[in-house]
Amino acid sequence: MSSLLEVELLDSSDRPKSVGCLGGWMQGGGHGPAAHDFGLGADQVLEAQVVIANGQVVTASPCQHPDLFFAIRGGGGGTYGVVISTTIKAYPTSNMAAQQLSLAPLNSTYMPDFMKAVEILHNAYPYLLDKGFSGYGSWSIASPTPLVYNYNYTLGGDIQANFTTGFTHTIAIFRQTLEGAQSIFAPVLRQLTPFNGRSLFINTTYSSFPTYAAYYTALSGIQPPIGLSAALGSRLLDRKALTSPRLNQTLEVLAGTPEQFTSLNLVLVGGGQIARDGADPCSGVNPAWRTSYIHNIVARGWAPGADEATRNAVYSDITNVKVRAMKDLAPDTGAYMNEGDRFDPDYLTDFYGQNTARLSAIKRKYDPESIFYCPTCIGSDSWQEDSIGRLCKVG
């Protein structure tokens, strides 16, 4: 990534700097804010060198081992072979206009207005992404850490503390002026303005950047924390889900209770080139990506030293309550395997969709003895773990 930025080129990744482009990020799909304009990471691969289960190094491309090429381009990492090199696409850089939005309730009595504003934004994202915006967002009704920071806003003469209930996003648009970006967002802002100062604190700022590298460095190239104890699940949400009358009910379920400290993260990259790349016959990406606008992640953690019953209750809430609510809202989509529910009972359908049977056949061809395994990979349904984690062949 850094070498591309130095010569004013970009790839579509915008992944954290510690995440490489060869492994599960790319092979599972690979998202980033630039993906809306240039496609998912998997769709950037022109050719790959792969070590298959018998130890042979093969070239995977549209012309050589095209079935393996299909599988490693979005069909899941760690199960068909070991990718040791890839040739990927690169693109000329361009200017960008970015918007940062934050909102929070002025006090707890205004939670209904806060949830209405969150719904308005979800309703608006298909429109905003169709106009070229993309990026990331997050929200919570009770975040373990502040979501909205230090805007010198005072309540009743007191110094404003940071908000732990709030919503924030950073979205950007290629080849657009600040005025153009503001004009695109104006219809959404008009819906939010009646709340501003009355029940919600709302702040929007706009920035322009001469290159993608400048934008990435300033607002997007952030290294997230690692090693956290948490359970997470996700769902790809299409236009039908985001404009459904049931959306507000689903958002309430996802928000949970203050005691749950639930975090919601929005990957706002759908539509655009991701949708257009659905016509690529060499793409093994979950077809649900092609019709969705948001990859919606829900997560909960637990205190250090929490007992097994506490941890299991959190896992159950994620799988059986929160992810279930998203499945009910968007029954025809799926989930992004790299940030999906580890305990999803429908993982083959949700992670691989219509590609499951084809990918299973490719797995049997290139790894007939199941040398490669991961718990939710293609082929994992042929194995089960015993009580101490050993793998046993099913049947």
Side-chain angles (χ1 to χ4, degrees):
M1 180 70 182
S2 59
S3 60
L4 286 172
L5 298 182
E6 288 168 5
V7 295
E8 296 193 350
L9 295 174
L10 64 93
D11 65 11
S12 76
S13 65
D14 195 20
R15 60 195 179 274
K17 295 178 181 179
S18 64
V19 178
C21 64
L22 298 184
W25 175 83
M26 174 273 289
Q27 293 173 61
H31 65 72
H36 174 84
D37 286 77
F38 303 103
L40 292 168
D43 294 326
Q44 308 309 307
V45 179
L46 299 170
E47 181 180 279
Q49 299 294 306
V50 185
V51 182
I52 56 176
N54 64 8
Q56 183 181 1
V57 179
V58 300
T59 297
S61 73
C63 301
Q64 302 178 69
H65 302 94
D67 51 356
L68 182 61
F69 187 61
F70 171 88
I72 65 170
R73 295 175 81 237
T79 192
Y80 311 102
V82 180
V83 178
I84 57 175
S85 70
T86 58
T87 302
I88 64 171
K89 304 172 187 176
Y91 306 90
T93 194
S94 71
N95 69 293
M96 301 190 71
Q99 185 220 58
Q100 293 171 280
L101 175 144
S102 297
L103 61 87
L106 298 181
N107 61 54
S108 60
T109 64
Y110 296 121
M111 284 302 298
D113 282 358
F114 171 72
M115 293 302 297
K116 181 61 180 177
V118 171
E119 182 185 4
I120 288 170
L121 286 163
H122 280 72
N123 290 161
Y125 282 129
Y127 156 76
L128 291 172
L129 270 65
D130 283 345
K131 290 293 186 180
F133 273 113
S134 62
Y136 291 89
S138 62
W139 67 280
S140 176
I141 65 166
S143 173
T145 57
L147 280 172
V148 179
Y149 294 92
N150 295 322
Y151 285 109
N152 299 317
Y153 189 85
T154 59
L155 298 176
D158 296 329
I159 296 175
Q160 171 59 37
N162 296 327
F163 293 98
T164 54
T165 298
F167 181 105
T168 182
H169 77 206
T170 298
I171 55 178
I173 184 169
F174 283 87
R175 298 173 291 277
Q176 185 57 269
T177 64
L178 287 181
E179 295 77 13
Q182 290 171 331
S183 176
I184 292 170
F185 196 78
V188 185
L189 188 60
R190 281 195 293 270
Q191 295 182 71
L192 297 173
T193 298
F195 300 110
N196 195 18
R198 179 180 64 82
S199 57
L200 304 180
F201 165 70
I202 301 175
N203 184 76
T204 57
T205 59
Y206 290 85
S207 307
S208 61
F209 300 93
T211 64
Y212 178 76
Y215 160 72
Y216 180 88
T217 301
L219 296 182
S220 193
I222 299 170
Q223 181 64 46
I226 60 173
L228 302 179
S229 297
L232 66 83
S234 66
R235 194 73 178 172
L236 293 162
L237 303 181
D238 57 10
R239 183 187 301 273
K240 181 180 177 181
L242 292 167
T243 57
S244 168
R246 298 178 56 188
L247 176 63
N248 60 344
Q249 178 183 351
T250 304
L251 293 174
E252 293 283 355
V253 173
L254 293 175
T257 64
E259 296 78 18
Q260 291 180 335
F261 297 105
T262 305
S263 297
L264 284 301
N265 293 286
L266 309 179
V267 179
L268 308 167
V269 300
Q273 191 60 41
I274 292 179
R276 291 189 289 272
D277 281 339
D280 182 355
C282 295
S283 175
V285 167
N286 185 345
W289 270 107
R290 309 307 185 184
T291 59
S292 299
Y293 285 91
I294 294 180
H295 161 42
N296 196 57
I297 307 169
V298 58
R300 286 184 57 196
W302 48 80
D307 59 27
E308 184 177 6
T310 298
R311 299 194 302 271
N312 287 342
V314 173
Y315 281 120
S316 179
D317 178 59
I318 291 295
T319 299
N320 300 317
V321 179
K322 292 179 169 54
V323 171
R324 181 72 263 168
M326 290 192 287
K327 288 185 180 185
D328 290 342
L329 179 69
D332 301 323
T333 62
Y336 177 44
M337 67 186 77
N338 285 355
E339 292 164 326
D341 180 4
R342 162 68 176 80
F343 299 103
D344 184 348
D346 307 313
Y347 73 90
L348 285 174
T349 299
D350 287 337
F351 294 173
Y352 306 97
Q354 299 159 343
N355 292 335
T356 302
R358 182 178 178 186
L359 291 169
S360 296
I362 296 168
K363 167 71 171 177
R364 291 190 296 270
K365 176 181 177 180
Y366 287 95
D367 185 17
E369 297 182 4
S370 293
I371 301 297
F372 302 114
Y373 170 86
C374 83
T376 56
C377 284
I378 289 290
S380 63
D381 54 328
S382 297
W383 300 86
Q384 64 181 12
E385 296 183 19
D386 68 12
S387 60
I388 60 173
R390 295 177 300 189
L391 288 178
C392 303
K393 192 74 172 178
V394 174

